[in-house]
Amino acid sequence: MKRLRHIFIQGLLALLPIATTLYILYFFYALLDNFLGGLIRRVFRVTLPGVGMVSSILLILLTGILVTDVLGARLFRFGEKMLQRIPVVQRIYFGSKQIIDAFSLQGKQIFSKVALVEYPRKGIYVVGFVTGACKGEVQEKTSANLINVFVPTTPNPTSGMLVLVPEKDVIYLEMTVEEGLKLIVSAGVVTPQ
């Protein structure tokens, strides 16, 4: 029974990222295919298969062009300010945006290194991500040089806790941030070389 449960969990962890990606792509495809396909059928009385897929790709490219352009980026920020004024939408949109920004490695990398820290007690280690040196009031009130280490939860690394660790107690690992994330998401099943 234990082996069956182990096999099931491994299969679930392997399929989850694929299923999530396919679901999001299918959602965009179905939304655009129903809207544009229906519009084309009514206006031109022709059925065009694949309209959803082509329009999804074009929508993503158009959005990318828009947000990388100076004027488009300003327009996008203005739209985000408008979204901030809508209570429920604000929480959903900006919550998901923070998660994506934290774990997408575009532009600047939020996590600089992967590290081991002894937590919650001596002799027990957790994998965490170094986010930088501690500054401000917290550092001023302690005698040790502290390092900010984000310790994510398994298998959902979007939640976790910040641990302030004396620099001498941080054990830096050679693995990349991506390999560290794989280790955490897989609950230790996928371990880097």
Side-chain angles (χ1 to χ4, degrees), residues 1-9:
M1 192 64 173
K2 259 186 175 178
R3 177 141 171 77
L4 183 63
R5 183 175 55 196
H6 177 72
I7 291 170
F8 179 80
I9 290 172

Side-chain angles (χ1 to χ4, degrees), residues 28-41 44 46-59:
F28 275 120
Y29 166 78
L31 183 73
L32 292 170
D33 197 49
N34 288 338
F35 176 72
L36 291 176
L39 188 67
I40 290 171
R41 272 191 300 276
F44 298 108
V46 172
T47 302
L48 288 175
V51 168
M53 185 183 308
V54 173
S55 48
S56 295
I57 293 169
L58 289 175
L59 177 66

Side-chain angles (χ1 to χ4, degrees), residues 85-105:
R85 297 180 180 175
I86 306 170
V88 175
V89 173
Q90 171 196 12
R91 286 183 179 225
I92 295 169
Y93 177 78
F94 288 101
S96 60
K97 185 173 191 291
Q98 283 179 334
I99 291 168
I100 291 168
D101 286 348
F103 291 98
S104 73
L105 302 175

Side-chain angles (χ1 to χ4, degrees), residues 43 62 70 124 128:
V43 174
L62 186 64
V70 175
I124 295 179

Side-chain angles (χ1 to χ4, degrees), residues 52-90:
M53 185 183 308
V54 173
S55 48
S56 295
I57 293 169
L58 289 175
L59 177 66
I60 292 168
L61 287 173
L62 186 64
T63 305
I65 290 169
L66 180 70
V67 297
T68 55
D69 182 52
V70 175
L71 183 61
R74 283 185 183 172
L75 197 63
F76 195 75
R77 281 193 300 274
F78 175 75
E80 283 185 330
K81 285 181 184 178
M82 301 317 295
L83 285 176
Q84 267 183 320
R85 297 180 180 175
I86 306 170
V88 175
V89 173
Q90 171 196 12

